Amino acid sequence: MHTVYPDEKGRFGQFGGRYVPETLMFALEELEEAFQKAMEDNTFQEQLNKELTLYSGRPTPLTFAENTTKRFGGAKIYLKREDLNHTGAHKINNAIGQVLLAKRMNKTKVVAETGAGQHGVAVATACARYGLSCKVFMGQEDIARQSLNVFRMKLLGAEVVSVTSGSKTLKDATNEAIRYWAGAVQDTFYCIGSVVGPHPYPRIVRDFQRIIGLETKEQFNEYEGGAPETVIACVGGGSNAMGMFHPFLEDEEVELIGVEAGGLGLETGKHAASITTGSIGVLHGSMTFLNQDESGQILEPYSISAGLDYPGVGPEHSHLAATKRVTYKTITDAEALEALKILSEEEGILPAIESAHALAQAFEEAVNQPEHTSIVVCLSGRGDKDVSTIMNLLEEDGSYE
Amino acid sequence: MNNRFQTLKNAPKPMFIPFIMAGDPSPEDTIETALLLQEEGADVLELGIPYSDPLADGPVIQEAAKRAKGMTIGKAMILVGEMRKRGLDIPVLIFTYINPFLKLGEDRFFQLAKENDVDGLLIPDLPFEESHSLRGRCRAEEISFISLVAPTTSRERLFRIAEEAQGFLYCVSSLGVTGERSDFHPETKRLLQEAKSYTTIPVALGFGISTRQQFVDVGELCDGVIIGSSLIKKAHEIRIDPTLEFGSSFKAYVSSLVNGEQHVNS
């Protein structure tokens, strides 16, 4: 059974667990208990659902990409529109859930890490709405390439802390957020942004993101009847993918594909494909597939997408890869950009570069599948935040003069 | 247990437990520093292994790890063997994060520990719940597995950890990461008192101790004092100052911290 995980030790098969300094153990135990109680409490569930509906704008539509489908001439392509969520990505599902949980636990301060800034914006948004103070750690490198989101966080009243250690990206922002949390653990809630980290975080984030897959199942059944043949989502840490896949895990006939960032190509070593090329290790509190060297030092990841630029992956994805329930593939920067252009031109939807990785894979799959089949792609976020990155790249090749 | 940690029971109080980073700034410097620390009365040497993502460490130790680039857990253990040949006979404790340890492999670790007279192992991101089998193996191999407790550790948990503790029990004085501090967590005194009542092995305090007064104050409350960041910072400052001779200056600093003696550099 694929859905019964994690076990009581926070394990997904051999993956997951809880590898943190002793200082944080009590906080994780406290969080586990609070989460369990909240999920069993109808009042909390009602409050969460109300916020997701009336504040975030759920359910998000499942859009048939008619023009794109015609262009590739194979399977029907459907898009689960997480880009239409408040703040523009799936991240808000989890941020609202965790910040409501923080409030329920009487914590007054929230700390978070962010890569592309979407999680940071989502947490800052939720903190503003529910009246908690918010501090967001972000790598100096990411601050430079995601200035729009940095500004948004500040407008929302959050403090953005620039992280200058290591590669100055998401991995290091996560280290600093955990270090800060260790010192402030008694009144501060750590709102983690993906299905990574020590138990119970991978489970908490997954459960708050399951709404994506649950809605997709229902909507697809309404439009087409039954279940789609293939479901595809991009994987950095892997929260949108985990939320999308989880409700489908027991439907063995549904093919699930996770797409990692192939960067400049696997052969160049400049990528963020930890399942495809990594080995088992421990990062940020859990055992999972990682990109590391022979002495166990974590290798710097690379991706055009700040949101996928992470050297590890959520432990449940590692488990799903090891048990072969989900297939993981890679898409390069160039392929993702091409998919981004196609979707913009064909459907009038500018996807986030993260989501464009999933799209590129979907286009590849679609051509090889018969017309009566369907592929659902999780469009995890919109591309507004990436406009300056895209502009710089496309201007270089002269496409948009 | 039949390793050098057994000698700690008779050590003078408070024990002085310095932490240094293997390879900072070179393997040869690490040997020199270790021997100087022994001369100044160190009771245990805690040898850190550089790691790319040291969650429990503050900026001073992170910087030391960067200076020690290229050092690995395997090379550091062989370095201990070299220290032994040069006269180091106090217990040596390897301080490493779980990921480099897993990559080295348990069997290789114990083989190297035996070959190089390593006495203990401390993994700050391997909590009690995750360390059961490794603790058992350490016991069987006569390597002391050092456990940590923090001001946030509940009484019930403290009891369980203390009951299983080997070598000495490492109490963390503050929340957060390693580094110098002026104040300790208000729960520290309670933590030390309870820890001492639950175990017969020495109880030591670490994280944030940097002055003579702190050393004395802490020494009255427990059996040993762990000092890392301030030693590493001072050693680095002395090394980059061309007017100072490392050996005498570093010894003078350590002596003033541990013995309260004021050395005059001529």
Side-chain angles (χ1 to χ4, degrees):
Chain A
M1 296 303 262
H2 295 286
T3 49
V4 296
Y5 294 103
D7 64 17
E8 72 283 358
K9 282 185 163 175
R11 294 263 171 191
F12 304 88
Q14 67 172 310
F15 302 99
R18 195 177 263 172
Y19 298 89
V20 292
E22 173 63 23
T23 309
L24 295 176
M25 287 302 286
F26 100 97
L28 293 172
E29 283 168 0
E30 181 188 40
L31 175 63
E32 188 180 6
E33 196 189 321
F35 175 71
Q36 198 68 38
K37 282 194 180 145
M39 294 309 260
E40 288 161 6
D41 178 353
N42 288 336
T43 322
F44 180 78
Q45 291 296 340
E46 277 163 25
Q47 185 188 18
L48 177 61
N49 288 336
K50 191 175 156 198
E51 287 299 282
L52 290 175
T53 309
L54 300 178
Y55 181 64
S56 184
R58 300 206 74 89
T60 59
L62 181 68
T63 304
F64 176 45
E66 193 174 357
N67 301 333
T68 318
T69 299
K70 277 187 190 144
R71 176 168 175 157
F72 289 99
K76 283 177 265 188
I77 299 170
Y78 278 91
L79 308 170
K80 178 57 177 165
R81 301 291 305 280
E82 292 303 294
D83 61 315
L84 292 180
N85 262 308
H86 180 49
T87 73
H90 69 291
K91 295 289 186 188
I92 194 78
N93 306 331
N94 171 54
I96 290 176
Q98 285 200 49
V99 175
L100 284 177
L101 187 60
K103 207 169 165 70
R104 198 182 146 94
M105 292 170 74
N106 295 319
K107 304 280 179 182
T108 54
K109 298 171 188 165
V110 171
V111 61
E113 80 298 325
T114 198
Q118 287 303 103
H119 173 59
V121 168
V123 177
T125 299
C127 284
R129 179 152 172 93
Y130 311 122
L132 285 86
S133 86
C134 180
K135 190 191 281 278
V136 181
F137 287 85
M138 189 169 184
Q140 200 180 42
E141 188 78 23
D142 290 335
I143 286 182
R145 53 182 177 174
Q146 299 288 348
S147 55
L148 179 66
N149 274 342
V150 175
F151 187 66
R152 288 170 77 190
M153 283 184 264
K154 288 179 179 167
L155 273 178
L156 292 160
E159 181 195 348
V160 180
V161 184
S162 173
V163 173
T164 56
S165 58
S167 57
K168 308 179 179 65
T169 61
L170 178 57
K171 165 179 86 82
D172 309 286
T174 308
N175 287 340
E176 288 306 332
I178 296 174
R179 287 182 186 124
Y180 174 84
W181 187 41
V185 69
Q186 282 159 323
D187 64 354
T188 301
F189 185 97
Y190 179 28
C191 185
I192 211 160
S194 195
V195 284
V196 300
H199 177 63
Y201 281 107
R203 178 183 172 190
I204 290 180
V205 179
R206 176 196 77 192
D207 286 357
F208 284 140
Q209 293 293 4
R210 281 181 85 245
I211 188 87
I212 304 173
L214 291 172
E215 282 179 9
T216 300
K217 263 184 121 158
E218 199 180 311
Q219 290 166 326
F220 188 87
N221 189 41
E222 198 177 307
Y223 301 158
E224 293 276 349
E229 274 69 25
T230 308
V231 173
I232 302 181
C234 65
V235 177
S239 68
N240 88 86
M242 211 52 247
M244 178 57 120
F245 294 163
H246 199 262
F248 287 102
L249 289 179
E250 300 303 326
D251 304 337
E252 297 284 344
E253 73 284 2
V254 179
E255 180 189 28
L256 303 173
I257 303 177
V259 185
E260 298 195 286
L264 300 179
L266 296 185
E267 68 289 352
T268 64
K270 286 198 161 292
H271 58 77
S274 37
I275 291 179
T276 311
T277 68
S279 55
I280 297 172
V282 171
L283 177 66
H284 297 146
S286 68
M287 182 168 286
T288 191
F289 280 113
L290 299 175
N291 281 323
Q292 54 181 329
D293 70 12
E294 68 286 348
S295 60
Q297 308 290 338
I298 308 302
L299 295 172
E300 309 291 357
Y302 163 82
S303 169
I304 185 182
S305 161
L308 300 181
D309 204 352
Y310 185 69
V313 64
E316 192 163 10
H317 282 293
S318 293
H319 173 64
L320 293 171
T323 55
K324 299 195 170 18
R325 174 63 188 98
V326 179
T327 310
Y328 293 86
K329 300 193 171 172
T330 62
I331 284 292
T332 64
D333 287 358
E335 290 167 327
L337 266 184
E338 186 56 31
L340 177 144
K341 280 159 62 178
I342 292 171
L343 197 75
S344 302
E345 289 166 9
E346 297 288 354
E347 309 290 348
I349 299 171
L350 171 61
I353 303 179
E354 290 90 327
S355 320
H357 285 72
L359 281 169
Q361 188 63 44
F363 297 164
E364 252 181 55
E365 303 288 331
V367 245
N368 298 318
Q369 289 184 20
E371 285 177 21
H372 63 83
T373 62
S374 296
I375 296 175
V376 176
V377 186
C378 184
L379 201 71
S380 56
R382 63 181 183 229
D384 306 33
K385 71 184 170 63
D386 295 322
V387 164
S388 66
T389 307
I390 301 165
M391 205 154 62
N392 291 341
L393 282 161
L394 296 184
E395 274 174 0
E396 272 172 32
D397 74 5
S399 313
Y400 290 82
E401 276 173 16
Chain B
M1 217 176 312
N2 193 18
N3 65 20
R4 287 177 175 80
F5 274 102
Q6 284 202 317
T7 62
L8 296 186
K9 283 179 185 155
N10 311 316
K13 205 184 146 202
M15 289 189 297
F16 167 43
I17 308 175
F19 171 97
I20 59 173
M21 182 61 73
D24 170 27
S26 75
E28 185 54 39
D29 287 306
T30 313
I31 297 174
E32 184 190 12
T33 311
L35 292 170
L36 288 171
L37 286 165
Q38 176 172 266
E39 280 175 41
E40 289 307 314
D43 296 281
V44 175
L45 178 70
E46 210 179 310
L47 191 61
I49 310 300
Y51 180 50
S52 52
D53 298 82
L55 278 188
D57 286 310
V60 170
I61 293 177
Q62 288 181 51
E63 283 304 312
K66 269 195 218 163
R67 289 194 295 269
K69 221 175 160 70
M71 178 56 66
T72 63
I73 174 168
K75 287 182 193 170
M77 291 175 81
I78 293 166
L79 196 63
V80 175
E82 197 52 43
M83 290 173 185
R84 295 291 185 213
K85 279 183 206 151
R86 308 263 280 270
L88 190 81
D89 56 20
I90 55 175
V92 175
L93 170 62
I94 295 289
F95 179 109
T96 178
Y97 286 85
I98 185 67
N99 199 50
F101 179 85
L102 290 173
K103 203 72 183 169
L104 178 77
E106 220 177 277
D107 291 343
R108 180 84 179 125
F109 173 83
F110 288 107
Q111 182 198 343
L112 284 170
K114 210 149 270 178
E115 284 169 14
N116 297 286
D117 292 332
V118 168
D119 309 278
L121 173 64
L122 192 162
I123 306 180
D125 58 346
L126 190 69
F128 187 71
E129 288 76 1
E130 296 283 356
S131 63
H132 183 75
S133 77
L134 185 58
R135 269 183 282 128
R137 175 89 188 261
C138 278
R139 210 179 280 280
E141 303 267 1
E142 297 178 345
I143 298 288
S144 299
F145 183 90
I146 306 298
S147 297
L148 288 109
V149 292
T152 49
T153 306
S154 67
R155 180 168 298 162
E156 187 260 335
R157 196 177 155 79
L158 173 62
F159 179 75
R160 277 190 293 142
I161 296 174
E163 202 179 32
E164 288 270 318
Q166 308 169 21
F168 66 89
L169 183 62
Y170 192 135
C171 296
V172 171
S173 69
S174 331
L175 302 183
V177 294
T178 58
E180 297 170 26
R181 283 180 179 79
S182 50
D183 298 309
F184 298 129
H185 194 277
E187 289 289 297
T188 302
K189 202 168 176 179
R190 184 232 10 130
L191 177 74
L192 290 172
Q193 280 166 350
E194 283 184 15
K196 282 169 70 173
S197 72
Y198 294 153
T199 183
T200 53
I201 62 170
V203 172
L205 189 75
F207 278 38
I209 298 142
S210 63
T211 66
R212 169 69 192 156
Q213 194 54 50
Q214 285 174 332
F215 185 84
V216 172
D217 292 347
V218 169
E220 281 171 13
L221 298 172
C222 62
D223 309 303
V225 186
I226 300 145
I227 306 184
S229 293
S230 65
L231 279 177
I232 288 173
K233 190 173 146 202
K234 193 71 183 179
H236 179 61
E237 282 168 5
I238 296 170
R239 281 200 181 95
I240 59 172
D241 185 339
T243 66
L244 296 176
E245 196 271 321
F246 182 75
S248 58
S249 304
F250 185 66
K251 278 184 78 163
Y253 173 72
V254 175
S255 181
S256 69
L257 203 59
V258 180
N259 306 315
E261 289 166 15
Q262 296 300 314
H263 283 244
V264 181
N265 278 326
S266 53

